[in-house]
Amino acid sequence: MTIFVALLVTVLAFVFVVYPFFRRRSSSIDAVDDEKLRELYSKRDTTYSFLKEVEFDLQSGMLTDEEHRDLETTYQRKAISILRDIDNLEKEPEVEQEIEKQVLELRQNKGQFCSQCGARCQEGDHFCSHCGANLTKEESN
Ligand SMILES: [Zn+2]
């Protein structure tokens, strides 16, 4: 009976400690993905506007047919690869991949997490890039 209670307490303590860590971690990953997505969307828009420009340059005689075709192909390929990246990011990350990634990061001991908002920060950062909290105050220098 005592062993059972001790075991239960251990498991509860483990869940209590680990659960918020995982929850925070995944939300910080979402934040990173959001940023990447925004970046990709703006790249996509830029590429689209280049394509329009190329079309306009052809019509106004600034580009030859051949130049136009080359540029159009280049930008179309670029747009496709950006759209593919967006697609990959918008997909729900597989739980296994997520855990694998976390384990790998823990092993490499890379980065740190903001104690205020849980955002992931770069190793050596003094302030959280998400909420601006001081990340160094917990360390003894
Ligand atoms: Zn923060």
Side-chain angles (χ1 to χ4, degrees), residues 35-119:
E35 210 173 294
K36 273 191 200 159
L37 265 179
R38 263 200 301 274
E39 206 177 293
L40 284 169
Y41 279 133
S42 90
K43 270 189 195 167
R44 182 199 60 182
D45 291 346
T46 313
T47 309
Y48 282 169
S49 68
F50 274 136
L51 274 168
K52 268 184 218 157
E53 231 171 273
V54 164
E55 196 60 40
F56 180 79
D57 285 352
L58 175 75
Q59 268 154 32
S60 60
M62 283 171 74
L63 288 173
T64 66
D65 278 347
E66 204 182 331
E67 283 168 339
H68 168 260
R69 205 169 35 237
D70 283 353
L71 283 171
E72 199 182 45
T73 311
T74 305
Y75 287 127
Q76 272 171 355
R77 280 201 190 128
K78 211 172 165 184
I80 287 167
S81 96
I82 292 168
L83 289 175
R84 209 176 281 149
D85 286 349
I86 290 175
D87 230 40
N88 286 337
L89 268 184
E90 281 180 338
K91 261 184 230 156
E92 283 293 314
E94 296 291 330
V95 177
E96 286 88 3
Q97 281 179 354
E98 203 59 43
I99 291 169
E100 215 172 287
K101 206 157 76 180
Q102 287 175 7
V103 169
L104 206 74
E105 276 172 19
L106 282 174
R107 273 199 201 133
Q108 291 172 335
N109 200 21
K110 263 188 188 168
Q112 54 181 334
F113 301 98
C114 175
S115 57
Q116 298 300 309
C117 70

Side-chain angles (χ1 to χ4, degrees), residues 115-130:
S115 57
Q116 298 300 309
C117 70
R120 194 171 140 206
C121 307
Q122 293 300 307
E123 206 173 5
D125 275 2
H126 294 285
F127 297 96
C128 173
S129 58
H130 190 73

